Amino acid sequence: MADAIPVQSRASGVAPHRGPLGRLLGWVLSIAVWLVLGLFGNILFECVCVGLLWPDQGPRRSQAMLEAELAYLGNDIKASLLVEHPTDFATGMAADLHRRLYVDTGLTSLLRRAETAASRIEENPFFRQRLDDTLVGLRKYLAAAMIATQVYAVRVAVLVLAMPVFCLFGLVALVDGIVSRDLRRFGVGREHGQVYHLAKRAIGPTLTLPWAIYLAWPTTVHPNYVILPFALLFAVAVAVSAATFKKYL
């Protein structure tokens, strides 16, 4: 009985150890959750823009953003290591997400049925006018949400297609850092443990911040202005952490 208390306290105080598969699944689930939250955040922001910030433009603002994003993709990302046709990949992802969220769920058909039912109401002109105004507003917000969803999907596709850039920059930086580390060891140079820990902690943000900034950017922006600076910062962080790593490989 006396041995049960420390055993129970140790079991309750120590977090369960997760293996590589558990960590991978947790990482994938966290990414999926953040992507879903980011999508709904973009839709909410676009509805706010339609209702408050730019009510005169309506869904035209989202449509202009979508056309600009596709133009950037078609003009500057004509080849990729992951897919053969990047533009078709992005438009296919946007169309698939649109179908799953708005067509398969029945939102578009529900709005069409409501408009059909409203067209049959003729007894009360005042009520009919109010109902028509409400349906027009709903259609405007739904159109803005649909286009914002497609813009979000195109940007996710661009970020996925940009991952080989980070891999290439990281590989070159890793080789350069290892060579610098060996030169420092052979030359009996000083070790900088604090620099290594700072550079190591910077690797994660340089990979996640491009997703957060690019997906949440409220206006049209060229993907190179977001991806390339963070790819360079990622390479610098990898090179510095590899060059200042103290233990033997």
Side-chain angles (χ1 to χ4, degrees), residues 31-45 148 152 156 211-212 215-216:
I31 290 178
V33 169
W34 281 111
L35 286 177
V36 171
L37 292 177
L39 173 60
F40 284 105
N42 275 264
I43 293 175
L44 180 61
F45 178 78
Y152 186 83
V156 170
W211 290 76
L215 293 179

Side-chain angles (χ1 to χ4, degrees), residues 150-161:
Q150 296 180 37
V151 172
Y152 186 83
V154 170
R155 289 185 172 184
V156 170
V158 170
L159 290 170
V160 171
L161 295 175

Side-chain angles (χ1 to χ4, degrees), residues 58-188:
R60 294 194 303 272
R61 174 184 173 276
S62 301
Q63 185 64 37
M65 285 183 59
L66 179 60
E67 293 174 357
E69 298 290 338
L70 291 175
Y72 293 150
L73 184 61
N75 295 331
D76 300 332
I77 310 178
K78 297 181 180 180
S80 174
L81 295 176
L82 300 179
V83 296
E84 186 176 358
H85 301 289
T87 305
D88 295 340
F89 172 73
T91 54
M93 181 180 293
D96 185 66
L97 187 60
H98 169 81
R99 177 180 57 81
R100 292 180 182 275
L101 288 181
Y102 301 103
V103 179
D104 293 346
T105 57
L107 286 177
T108 55
S109 61
L110 180 62
L111 184 59
R112 285 196 298 267
R113 288 197 297 268
E115 291 176 343
T116 302
S119 63
R120 299 173 182 174
I121 300 177
E122 299 179 355
E123 292 81 4
N124 192 333
F126 177 78
F127 178 74
R128 170 68 184 276
Q129 183 63 36
R130 292 291 183 180
L131 185 59
D132 289 342
D133 294 341
T134 302
L135 292 176
V136 169
L138 289 176
R139 176 170 289 278
K140 181 176 66 174
Y141 283 106
L142 184 60
M146 289 178 178
I147 301 174
T149 301
Q150 296 180 37
V151 172
Y152 186 83
V154 170
R155 289 185 172 184
V156 170
V158 170
L159 290 170
V160 171
L161 295 175
M163 285 298 101
V165 176
F166 285 85
C167 294
L168 180 61
F169 279 38
L171 180 61
V172 174
L174 180 62
V175 173
D176 181 75
I178 292 175
V179 172
S180 299
R181 174 181 175 275
D182 289 338
L183 291 176
R184 175 178 55 82
R185 285 177 52 209
F186 297 149
V188 197

